[in-house]
Each structure stands twice: as C-alpha cells, then as structure tokens.
Amino acid sequence: MNRKPLFTYAEIEEAFESLLQGKIKNKRKSYAFESIGFSVTGSNTSLLPVGTDGMTTIHVLKNKQTKEHFLNEIYRLINECYPNTDIPRIELKKYKIKEIVTNETKKRVIVIPCLRDQVVVRCILNRLNTIGITSEENKPNPKVDVLTKKIWNIINTDNRKKIIRTDISNYYPSVDVNILLRCLEVSHGKCIGAGIMHLIRKILIDNKSKDSYTGLPVGVGFCVLLANYYIGQMALSTHFAKAEIIRYEDDFLFIINENEDEQAFLAKLDQIFFRYGISRNLNKTEILNTASEFKFIGVTYKEGIVSLGEEKMKQWKIRVVEDIKKQFRDFAIVKSLHPGIEIPSNTKIVNTIWKDHKKGLRSKTYRHSLRIKGINEEKGLVA
C-alpha cells in the first residue's frame, strides 16, 4: 500500500474506544446488580446495537487477539482502494432498520449499522471534527439554558417585536444528500480528501439499505453534524440580516421588528428551504409577539418568567417512578439468585434513585429545571 492510509490503526482504535465509552456512560445502571459486583463493561454486555452481522462488543473484547483482528480488518478494508483510484474497497453491510413511533401521528425510521461500520462512521466523525466543518451557522447545538437566557433577554428588551416560531417538516428524510455532498466538497473537500469523501458517499447513498429510507439516515453518527452543516449552508443570517435567529437543530425562532411583514418573511424563507429540498412545517408555524406565551424546545415563556412547564416535569417524575420499579425487579432477581444477600430497605432504594435523578448521571432534566429557576432568580422573578 503506497498511498497514505485514510485512517491509521491508532485512529481506528481511538474511534472504537470512544464509541464504547460513550455507550457505557449512557447505559442505565442497576444498583441491584452492582451490589453483587456486576457492573457494565464492554465485555459483559452488548452495548452497541446489533446490526445485520450480529457482532457485538462481547465478541470483539473476548480477548486481545479478537480485538486486534477486528481493528486490523477495519484498517485493511478502509485503506484498500480500487486500482488507480481513491475509492475504498470497503462495502457497507446492510443496515438493520427499526421503526420508532414518536407520537400518535409520527413514526421515525432508525438505521442500525453493524459494529464494524459504526467504528468507520466514528472515524469519519472524528476527522470532520478535527478539520472543523462548523461555523456560527452550523455549529453543534448550544446548551438549552444558554439559549433560554438569550431568548429571555431578547423578548424582555422590547415587547413590541414579533416572533415567528417554526421548524422544518420531516427534516432528516427531506435532506437532499446530493446537494449536501456537493456543498461539503466545495467547502471542505480538499481538507477531507477524496478517499474519505468517497466513504461518506458510500455510507449515505451507495449502500444496500438506500431503499429503506430517504435523506440523512437517523442512527449514523456523523449525520447530526451534517444535518447542522446543511442548514448552515443556507446562510439564513445573510438573507435575514435584521432578524434575530435562534436555532436548535431544525427548530427556529425568528425575532423581527414590529413593522416587518411576517408573511413576506415566511415566503422568502420558504424559497430558501425549497432550493435545498426541504419545507417549513405549516402546522408548527406560529406568529406571536414578545409578550405572548410560547414554548421553544421544551421551555415555556410567559409574562417574563421561564419554566419547563408542568407536563415536562410530570414526564420526568414518571421516568423516575419507572426506574424505581425496575430497580425493585432487579433486586428481586438478585435475591432469587443469592438468597442470603442483604437487600437495602425500600426507602433506601427509592431515595437512592431519586438522588441519582437529581444529582447523578440521570439528572439532566432536574439540573435543567434548576438552571431555569436560576434565570428567574437572577432576574428577580418568581416562577
């Protein structure tokens, strides 16, 4: 192999380890099983979704030799190209397709690549992040509490402004991947390199599952980055220089002057979206003013006060209760396997789960509610 490898063995190993550690971190804990010394590791549980080849981390981490063979095979497949080309020989295995019901009227198609292809995807994601394909228009989503404070400051500075709240209809399936790849080639093609661009095309277009979904496949790791990049190519801040644009993924708030024609604004927005093969969600488009009550990415704005709202906190409490029930079931299993083991009291189990949802790994919602409360206190308001 005379050419420089697309990815080194070290990069492939780093991609696998980061993929593994991310899954371990997000895996739900079981206090019951941990009480008998069983904790989640990559070698005792199938952390990564199983694609069509059935291989899991259990197989890869069976011993040192199986891991080295797995990584060496990826290295070979990525870096072998067709004669006199930069096109990698690797062919993707067919994705496992899963349909998720998100609400009563909407379903989402999730693709699950095999473990090998997930490592390849992570290699590409790491390289794109190193190159830096983001800008102010397409950088990763900011923290919700930072956005919340920004929106609060804007709407309470001038209550005469108008708000246009909208999102993109069926965003990921609507993305024109050919347009996206052309934009990426023009903006960063030289930095990314022809070989990796070919790999990205193979993953997005030239695969055996391409008839099972449209647009960007949900479940492929770098597609979140590319989804943000795609919206960034529309340069909305250039087209609407006088508007304050706030975006989180494909949700938008446009804050415009009171004398601006909102229908003309939306017509111009629709024209831009159309050029990129996407459309505005008419059912979720609202025209308000800064004194109105409205919601944006789960946060309610009302009379100068921000909150997560009763429904959001109710859902969080339901998740905590479900987790408590799961832990009781796990302890029952442990007790049946080890009759002599001492089981914590029900009160201790309940308190431990609540504490973890307030201060531990699962405390995202609660910590966010505290940050929202902090914004109100900072402004001298009472929620």
Side-chain angles (χ1 to χ4, degrees):
M1 189 183 300
N2 297 322
R3 61 170 59 86
K4 181 181 178 182
L6 297 184
F7 296 104
T8 65
Y9 182 91
E11 287 178 297
I12 294 168
E13 185 173 32
E14 179 188 0
F16 174 71
E17 293 297 335
S18 61
L19 196 63
L20 178 61
Q21 292 307 313
K23 295 295 183 178
I24 290 175
K25 182 178 178 181
N26 294 325
K27 192 76 173 179
R28 293 185 70 186
K29 293 169 62 178
S30 171
Y31 297 106
F33 294 137
E34 288 181 356
S35 70
I36 58 172
F38 181 91
S39 59
V40 172
T41 69
S43 58
N44 66 18
T45 187
S46 176
L47 294 172
L48 293 163
V50 180
T52 49
D53 66 346
M55 179 173 281
T56 71
T57 53
I58 295 176
H59 301 101
V60 174
L61 298 175
K62 184 177 180 181
N63 54 52
K64 182 179 179 181
Q65 289 73 29
T66 56
K67 178 182 175 183
E68 288 180 351
H69 176 75
F70 175 73
L71 298 179
N72 276 318
E73 272 297 287
I74 295 176
Y75 179 83
R76 180 182 67 82
L77 290 167
I78 286 181
N79 292 306
E80 281 187 359
C81 293
Y82 291 106
N84 303 316
T85 74
D86 292 312
I87 303 176
R89 278 185 177 275
I90 186 170
E91 295 298 332
L92 300 176
K93 296 184 179 179
K94 193 170 184 177
Y95 299 147
K96 182 177 179 180
I97 306 295
K98 189 175 182 180
E99 193 172 72
I100 305 294
V101 178
T102 56
N103 57 47
E104 294 180 356
T105 60
K106 190 174 180 181
K107 295 179 180 179
R108 175 177 291 179
V109 174
I110 306 292
V111 307
I112 304 176
C114 69
L115 180 55
R116 182 203 70 182
D117 293 344
Q118 288 190 44
V119 176
V120 175
V121 166
R122 179 56 68 100
C123 285
I124 296 171
L125 175 61
N126 290 347
R127 182 64 63 84
L128 293 179
N129 283 330
T130 299
I131 291 170
I133 68 168
T134 60
S135 67
E136 281 302 309
E137 293 249 9
N138 60 33
K139 62 184 178 182
N141 296 322
K143 293 182 178 179
V144 175
D145 56 303
V146 174
L147 275 187
T148 302
K149 185 178 289 189
K150 180 177 181 179
I151 294 169
W152 192 97
N153 286 331
I154 292 171
I155 65 177
N156 285 280
T157 299
D158 186 350
N159 60 13
R160 295 169 299 174
K161 288 183 178 293
K162 295 176 184 176
I163 296 174
I164 299 174
R165 177 182 172 274
T166 191
D167 68 12
I168 298 171
S169 180
N170 211 21
Y171 178 46
Y172 273 64
S174 300
V175 171
D176 189 318
V177 179
N178 286 300
I179 293 177
L180 189 156
L181 289 175
R182 286 199 296 271
C183 290
L184 191 61
E185 182 68 54
V186 170
S187 65
H188 294 86
K190 289 183 179 180
C191 297
I192 295 171
I196 296 177
M197 285 299 301
H198 281 303
L199 266 180
I200 295 172
R201 175 170 287 275
K202 278 176 177 279
I203 291 168
L204 296 183
I205 298 177
D206 304 329
N207 63 72
K208 298 182 180 73
S209 308
K210 61 185 178 183
D211 296 327
S212 303
Y213 60 86
T214 61
L216 282 176
V218 179
V220 173
F222 58 62
C223 284
V224 175
L225 179 65
L226 292 182
N228 278 294
Y229 170 85
Y230 194 61
I231 291 177
Q233 298 311 294
M234 301 174 198
L236 295 179
S237 62
T238 301
H239 293 287
F240 303 106
K242 294 182 180 180
E244 187 72 48
I245 303 173
I246 296 173
R247 179 176 72 86
Y248 189 87
E249 296 180 349
D250 60 330
D251 288 298
F252 293 88
L253 273 188
F254 298 97
I255 301 176
I256 62 177
N257 293 324
E258 61 177 330
N259 57 356
E260 187 160 357
D261 185 339
E262 61 269 20
Q263 296 303 327
F265 186 101
L266 288 172
K268 184 177 179 181
L269 180 64
D270 289 341
Q271 289 176 355
I272 297 169
F273 281 176
F274 179 77
R275 291 201 293 269
Y276 287 84
I278 59 178
S279 59
R280 175 169 53 89
N281 190 333
L282 300 179
N283 293 329
K284 290 188 176 180
T285 299
E286 294 181 287
I287 299 171
L288 311 156
N289 59 58
T290 49
S292 304
E293 177 182 349
F294 66 95
K295 289 183 179 180
F296 186 68
I297 54 175
V299 179
T300 299
Y301 299 80
K302 181 181 179 182
E303 297 176 355
I305 295 174
V306 292
S307 68
L308 284 186
E310 292 183 7
E311 187 60 31
K312 192 83 171 178
M313 294 308 294
K314 182 180 178 181
Q315 292 172 356
W316 173 70
K317 290 176 182 177
I318 289 172
R319 289 198 300 272
V320 179
V321 172
E322 289 174 348
D323 198 6
I324 290 171
K325 291 178 180 178
K326 176 186 180 300
Q327 300 303 322
F328 278 132
R329 290 194 297 270
D330 287 351
F331 271 113
I333 294 171
V334 169
K335 186 68 174 176
S336 67
L337 296 173
H338 303 273
I341 196 169
E342 184 177 349
I343 300 295
S345 67
N346 289 353
T347 300
K348 186 173 182 180
I349 294 172
V350 170
N351 289 342
T352 299
I353 303 303
W354 274 106
K355 183 177 179 180
D356 192 47
H357 278 271
K358 287 187 173 182
K359 296 183 178 180
L361 290 174
R362 310 179 202 186
S363 58
K364 182 179 178 180
T365 300
Y366 185 75
R367 284 185 284 117
H368 183 41
S369 72
L370 293 180
R371 286 193 289 266
I372 295 297
K373 182 180 179 182
I375 294 173
N376 291 323
E377 291 175 347
E378 178 186 328
K379 306 300 181 183
L381 302 167
V382 178

